[in-house]
Amino acid sequence: MLSQTQIDSFNRDGFLVVPNVLSPSHLAQIRAEYSGLLDRLYADWYQAGRVSVSPVGLTFSEKLSISYQAGCDWFQPFDISLPGDTISADTPMHFGPAVFDMVVNENILDAVQSLLGEEITSNPIQHIRIKPPAPQLAGNEIRAHITATDWHQDRGVGLEAADKTEMITCWLAISDATVENGCLQAMPRAHDKMLPHCPKVQTAIADGFVDEAAAVPLPVGAGGMVMFHPLTPHSSLINRSDDFRWSFDLRYNVTGQDTGREHFPSFVARSKINPEQELRDWRGWKSLWETARAELAAAPHIPIHRWKSDAPFCAKEIS
Ligand SMILES: O=C(O)CCC(=O)C(=O)O
Ligand SMILES: [Fe+2]
């Protein structure tokens, strides 16, 4: 549970850094799960001639770099979500035991319970972000899961239906997150209203609405967590280090409230009233997403963005 001092600090600033949430052994399990996944992807790319360097002796980071340079996408096969664009019956995604154990980790849920109460749903807006050093980025890279993230509020990237939802974002550092390698930064005490967003390169807060000089960087060691309010303006810094920066962002909301992406599956992570509703097996999580994928592949595309470029504050964005 969070202390009263931590709760007060979250309520005042709109964010809170909580160190040592995931244990070193759990971090090792997450890394091993992804290492196995990348080994399988890389072996296929090598066999198909899409990457020319043999996997023998390569580190995880080297495999990431070589395949990224070769235009082989590991992001979507790694992600713990379906994409916002078109979904097909075989769109890759990843739902495994080590990541599931993170989503239902007791330290995370205790902290969330301190802010939202005992009825907690795992919100389906969740991603892995593995960010290469900036010089390695492709010139046309705009994905916020790969390159630096523009200023936004998480409420602004969900649909209107979730505007009243009580939700918390939990951002987990898998590698140390530093100012140098592109940690988060946030605007303190600014979580009182929705700011206008525009469809820029990414969906981002309209020009002139962020006081960048007031931004606070939020470095945190591997296994630590940054929690923030859905109205807290935040972005991430450029990765100026020479290795990958790895995080997950998870969200939790009060059970029964709109998730902002109702076409993706949510599940009860903790319940005092109905503990038997809690999902406890990673295979059940995986199958929820597989069912959603099959249904969505067969249905018309559902847009996940709400901001239009012809809105008043976005006029400058129109080319
Ligand atoms: O890690 C990042 O670059 C940004 C993450 C973010 O916007 C979030 O977790 O809501
Ligand atoms: Fe965000």
Side-chain angles (χ1 to χ4, degrees):
M1 295 295 173
L2 298 178
S3 68
Q4 192 56 48
T5 311
Q6 288 173 305
I7 295 171
D8 292 345
S9 168
F10 179 92
N11 288 333
R12 182 189 65 231
D13 294 335
F15 56 78
L16 179 71
V17 178
V18 188
N20 304 324
V21 168
L22 303 177
S23 67
S25 67
H26 190 180
L27 285 174
Q29 283 163 20
I30 293 171
R31 291 196 192 101
E33 190 166 292
Y34 274 92
S35 177
L37 181 52
L38 183 59
D39 285 352
R40 293 192 289 280
L41 291 167
Y42 195 98
D44 288 349
W45 291 326
Y46 185 59
Q47 209 167 27
R50 295 188 60 196
V51 290
S52 54
V53 185
S54 157
V56 178
L58 293 182
T59 64
F60 184 72
S61 296
E62 286 166 343
K63 282 185 200 142
L64 288 176
S65 290
I66 294 166
S67 47
Y68 179 78
Q69 300 304 328
C72 299
D73 180 48
W74 33 255
F75 167 68
Q76 186 53 48
F78 279 3
D79 203 16
I80 52 173
S81 175
L82 284 159
D85 49 18
T86 316
I87 292 163
S88 55
D90 60 357
T91 296
M93 51 189 187
H94 176 68
F95 298 94
V99 253
F100 179 73
D101 286 349
M102 171 181 67
V103 175
V104 297
N105 175 279
E106 296 288 321
N107 293 336
I108 301 178
L109 293 177
D110 284 350
V112 171
Q113 180 176 328
S114 301
L115 299 170
L116 293 184
E118 289 166 325
E119 303 304 317
I120 303 174
T121 283
S122 161
N123 183 291
I125 306 179
Q126 56 187 10
H127 294 289
I128 188 172
R129 302 190 200 236
I130 297 195
K131 307 213 177 189
Q136 285 186 30
L137 290 172
N140 59 354
E141 183 60 78
I142 57 167
R143 292 172 289 174
H145 315 111
I146 306 275
T147 184
T149 305
D150 261 347
W151 284 99
H152 67 281
Q153 293 162 304
D154 279 4
R155 186 152 283 166
V157 294
L159 296 173
E160 288 92 330
D163 276 359
K164 298 213 158 41
T165 295
E166 294 160 274
M167 183 182 88
I168 301 287
T169 299
C170 294
W171 187 98
L172 279 302
I174 304 302
S175 52
D176 290 340
T178 64
V179 170
E180 189 197 8
N181 77 5
C183 67
L184 286 177
Q185 57 177 348
M187 299 278 304
R189 309 180 189 199
H191 54 296
D192 55 337
K193 59 177 175 305
M194 177 82 99
L195 300 171
H197 287 60
C198 299
K200 302 188 187 182
V201 175
Q202 299 165 8
T203 296
I205 295 172
D207 289 353
F209 284 84
V210 177
D211 175 11
E212 297 212 23
V216 178
L218 300 170
V220 60
M225 164 166 86
V226 182
M227 307 180 83
F228 48 92
H229 185 278
L231 287 175
T232 299
H234 60 283
S235 66
S236 66
L237 297 164
I238 293 169
N239 181 356
R240 300 184 195 280
S241 76
D242 56 10
D243 205 355
F244 287 78
R245 190 223 82 180
W246 182 353
S247 64
F248 286 95
D249 38 285
L250 311 175
R251 290 166 189 75
Y252 300 89
N253 60 264
V254 172
T255 297
Q257 300 184 356
D258 193 288
T259 61
R261 238 170 249 178
E262 286 287 327
H263 55 299
F264 286 176
S266 55
F267 68 85
V268 174
R270 180 176 280 184
S271 175
K272 176 93 172 181
I273 304 172
N274 289 310
E276 70 286 353
Q277 285 186 355
E278 292 174 5
L279 184 64
R280 302 226 169 91
D281 184 357
W282 69 273
R283 293 177 199 84
W285 187 48
K286 184 169 194 264
S287 88
L288 283 174
W289 282 90
E290 286 171 346
T291 304
R293 177 174 62 184
E295 286 170 8
L296 292 166
H301 174 63
I302 301 173
I304 58 166
H305 296 299
R306 62 196 279 179
W307 304 93
K308 302 269 181 297
S309 56
D310 56 1
F313 296 110
C314 306
K316 271 188 273 179
E317 310 302 328
I318 303 169
S319 52

